[in-house]
């Protein structure tokens, strides 16, 4: 059951960077069963899709290092991996945004409610995730441009779910929010990814040093290891996107002020269905 209470996971005020990261972890912890399960499915799908590309590029387990005579294919592999990562995070953001919307009103959604297609705009989420992944594939081929794309595209799905913007406006809405206040939200999003990348790389290197590289099961073990790591990392990054979206609206649009004016928790956010990007404010309470 949902329970009313103070919005402790997402306080109604602008947050510091540390508080944003804590809020993302809190959101993940509160919805871990469903988010980690969906994250595991997406992470496994990513690994399976990358298998033929890795073989073509001569990248073998456990390190998937480049083969010097196939650098072109290896670059393509890296771009595909970046695109799949962004797509997976965006799909998960559809769920974490619903969780964030409930948290704003002091509620905690159940796993069944997060997965309920009613009001979830799942088709729109899939379209935005596909668009973000396609853009990131192109950006990754250009090398450093990847960081720019990652910084500005992460709030597109929360804009669709929480602000209820049309699909064709979501990427522009995301870029507008991410670049406000000196690119604050975009830079924090990149910081979150880099933190996870360091953790993931450290665990992967440690695991490689512990296994027998001649073992017949090495490739399977490597895929399983990356799947487990990403099954946690992708939901965590999706939670960060959701809280970043809400916090940026509080910081730059006064969303927290409008929400505080609501007379009861049930009218505070109404499952985020009444937030309009043109006004930048929830309709409830007007």
């Amino acid at each position: 059951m949902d329970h009313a209470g103070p919005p402790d996971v997402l306080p109604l005020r602008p947050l510091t960077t540390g508080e944003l990261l804590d809020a993302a972890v809190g959101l993940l912890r509160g919805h871990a069963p469903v988010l980690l399960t969906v994250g595991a499915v997406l992470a496994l799908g990513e690994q399976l899709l990358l298998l033929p590309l890795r073989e073509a590029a001569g990248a073998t387990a456990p390190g998937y290092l480049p083969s010097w005579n196939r650098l072109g294919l290896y670059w393509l592999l890296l771009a595909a991996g970046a695109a799949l990562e962004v797509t997976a995070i965006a799909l998960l953001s559809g769920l974490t945004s619903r969780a964030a919307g409930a948290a704003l009103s002091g509620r905690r959604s159940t796993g069944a409610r997060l997965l309920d297609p009613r009001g979830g705009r799942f088709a729109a989420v899939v379209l935005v995730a596909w668009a973000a992944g396609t853009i990131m594939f192109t950006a990754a081929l250009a090398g450093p441009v990847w960081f720019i794309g990652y910084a500005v595209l992460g709030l597109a799905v929360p804009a669709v779910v929480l602000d209820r913007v049309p699909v064709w406006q979501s990427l522009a809405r995301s870029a507008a929010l991410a670049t406000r206040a000196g690119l604050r939200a975009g830079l924090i999003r990149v910081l979150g990814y880099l933190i996870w990348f360091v953790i993931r790389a450290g665990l992967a290197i440690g695991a490689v040093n512990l296994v027998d590289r001649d073992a017949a099961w090495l490739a399977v073990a490597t895929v399983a290891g990356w799947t487990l790591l990403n099954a946690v990392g992708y939901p965590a990054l999706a939670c960060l996107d959701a809280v970043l979206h809400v916090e940026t609206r509080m910081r730059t649009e006064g969303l927290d002020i409008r929400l505080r004016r609501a007379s009861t928790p049930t009218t505070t956010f109404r499952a985020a269905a009444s937030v309009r990007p043109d006004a930048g404010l929830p309709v409830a309470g007007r």
Side-chain angles (χ1 to χ4, degrees):
M1 295 178 60
D2 290 351
H3 62 278
D8 51 352
V9 174
L10 283 174
L12 296 182
R13 59 177 174 81
L15 306 176
T16 66
T17 300
E19 287 174 329
L20 276 168
L21 296 175
D22 288 342
V25 173
L27 197 65
L28 174 60
R29 185 170 58 244
H31 304 83
V34 63
L35 292 180
L36 294 181
T37 299
V38 176
V41 172
L42 293 174
L44 178 59
E46 175 199 22
Q47 292 300 310
L48 295 178
L49 288 173
L50 289 176
L51 282 177
L53 289 175
R54 287 169 174 164
E55 182 177 355
T60 58
Y64 297 121
L65 298 177
S67 174
W68 295 109
N69 60 342
R70 302 183 188 179
L71 290 180
L73 288 173
Y74 191 79
W75 193 260
L76 185 66
L77 168 64
L78 293 179
L84 289 173
E85 281 190 343
V86 166
T87 302
I89 294 169
L91 291 172
L92 283 160
S93 291
L95 303 181
T96 60
S97 296
R98 300 187 83 177
L104 281 176
S105 60
R107 294 166 172 257
R108 176 182 171 183
S109 293
T110 63
R113 182 159 296 182
L114 289 184
L115 295 173
D116 189 343
R118 292 174 295 182
R121 305 199 71 190
F122 288 169
V125 168
V126 170
L127 286 175
V128 174
W130 173 82
T134 301
I135 293 172
M136 287 305 302
F137 177 77
T138 304
L141 289 176
V145 179
W146 177 91
F147 288 97
I148 299 175
Y150 190 84
V152 301
L153 294 178
L155 307 187
V157 169
V160 164
V161 176
L162 294 176
D163 294 356
R164 317 304 282 187
V165 304
V167 170
W168 58 87
Q169 294 180 5
S170 60
L171 297 178
R173 172 70 168 162
S174 176
L177 289 172
T179 54
R180 290 177 183 172
L183 200 63
R184 181 177 182 272
L187 292 176
I188 291 175
R189 187 171 195 249
V190 172
L191 173 64
Y193 183 87
L194 292 177
I195 290 173
W196 171 243
F197 180 83
V198 170
I199 294 173
R200 182 171 60 175
L203 292 174
I205 292 173
V208 166
N209 291 330
L210 291 176
V211 299
D212 179 5
R213 300 195 178 196
D214 295 328
W217 47 266
L218 180 57
V220 175
T222 303
V223 168
W226 282 113
T227 298
L228 290 175
L229 288 173
N230 292 333
V232 178
Y234 292 165
L237 292 172
C239 286
L240 179 60
D241 286 346
V243 299
L244 260 178
H245 178 87
V246 171
E247 195 273 346
T248 301
R249 289 203 62 203
M250 291 182 187
R251 181 176 295 273
T252 64
E253 298 180 356
L255 179 62
D256 52 330
I257 298 173
R258 290 303 180 101
L259 293 179
R260 286 183 184 278
R261 290 177 180 174
S263 59
T264 64
T266 54
T267 60
T268 297
F269 207 63
R270 291 188 183 178
S274 58
V275 181
R276 293 192 317 204
D278 53 345
L281 296 168
V283 174
R286 279 190 171 187

